[in-house]
Amino acid sequence: MAIEVELKFPLLPGAPTVEQVTDRLQTIGARPMPSRHQNDHYYAHPDRDFARTDEALRIREDEDRVQLTYKGPLIDEVAKTRHELETGIDSAEIAAEILESLGFHPVRVVAKQRKPFELSWQGISVEVVIDQVEGLGNFVELETISDPDSHQAARDHLLALANKLGLEQSERRSYLCLLLNAEIEST
């Protein structure tokens, strides 16, 4: 079973800028990849409150790829560490129709421009992305995949990388949660 270990940092005033993070990444050998736009369509279960169970179901449209993803509950108090299942699909529209036919209903779309980097940090492959999320601003995500027995060590490696990049005060809530909270606060 693969475990996704992720740390996310908002680039608020006082945090490094996008340019500073990019420079620091390149200094430690990160390889920039082409930027891409993503639309994440989140769905609610007909009988289970995903906000309460800390799960997520989404269809991701990512340039020329479409993926269906299930994210299980968080299993770590510091990082966003969870079991994740993901598969490629041919059509976001057909997948949405299947989900809605089964009683799932759309919650919200999270749109972002994503600038990814590939990096090997302390012997672990890390995907680093700088996200510009519509309605939220800029974030840096550090992500790696581990097995269930070593997810804490993977988390500690990501924390060391965050420190190297000058990133502090990670955010455990998802972009979806942050956007929904912002909508509630604005009403």
Side-chain angles (χ1 to χ4, degrees), residues 3 20 24-25 41 44 47 55 59 66 84 87 98 113 118 122 124 126 129 137 140 151 153 155 158-159 164 176 185:
I3 301 293
Q20 289 170 323
R24 291 171 187 173
L25 284 167
H41 303 262
D47 298 320
E55 296 170 283
I59 297 170
V66 182
E84 180 177 287
T87 189
I98 290 169
Q113 188 67 32
E118 289 182 350
Q122 298 180 345
I124 292 180
V126 179
V129 296
V140 176
H151 71 84
R155 176 203 61 209
L158 292 183
L159 286 168
K164 179 78 172 173
L176 175 63
E185 291 171 4

Side-chain angles (χ1 to χ4, degrees), residues 11 17-26 30-38 60 62-63 111-119 126-133 137-143 165 175:
L11 296 183
T17 64
V18 168
E19 293 77 19
Q20 289 170 323
V21 172
T22 300
D23 290 345
R24 291 171 187 173
L25 284 167
Q26 292 177 334
R31 189 170 66 106
M33 305 300 289
S35 292
R36 53 192 198 257
H37 183 79
Q38 293 179 338
R60 171 172 281 172
D62 183 353
E63 303 287 330
K112 60 185 174 278
Q113 188 67 32
R114 177 161 272 193
K115 182 177 180 179
F117 295 82
E118 289 182 350
L119 175 65
V126 179
E127 181 182 22
V128 180
V129 296
I130 300 173
D131 285 335
Q132 182 180 16
V133 183
N138 295 319
F139 291 79
V140 176
E141 286 189 6
L142 311 175
E143 181 181 312
L165 296 173
Y175 294 140

Side-chain angles (χ1 to χ4, degrees), residues 3 9 15 25 27-29 32 38 53 78 92 95 102 135 155 161 183:
I3 301 293
F9 300 87
L25 284 167
T27 298
I28 61 173
Q38 293 179 338
T53 62
V78 176
L102 292 171
R155 176 203 61 209
L161 174 57
E183 289 171 2

Side-chain angles (χ1 to χ4, degrees), residues 108-110 133-136 175-183:
R108 192 178 200 296
V109 175
V110 175
V133 183
E134 289 181 22
L136 290 178
Y175 294 140
L176 175 63
C177 182
L178 292 170
L179 284 166
L180 293 175
N181 287 345
E183 289 171 2

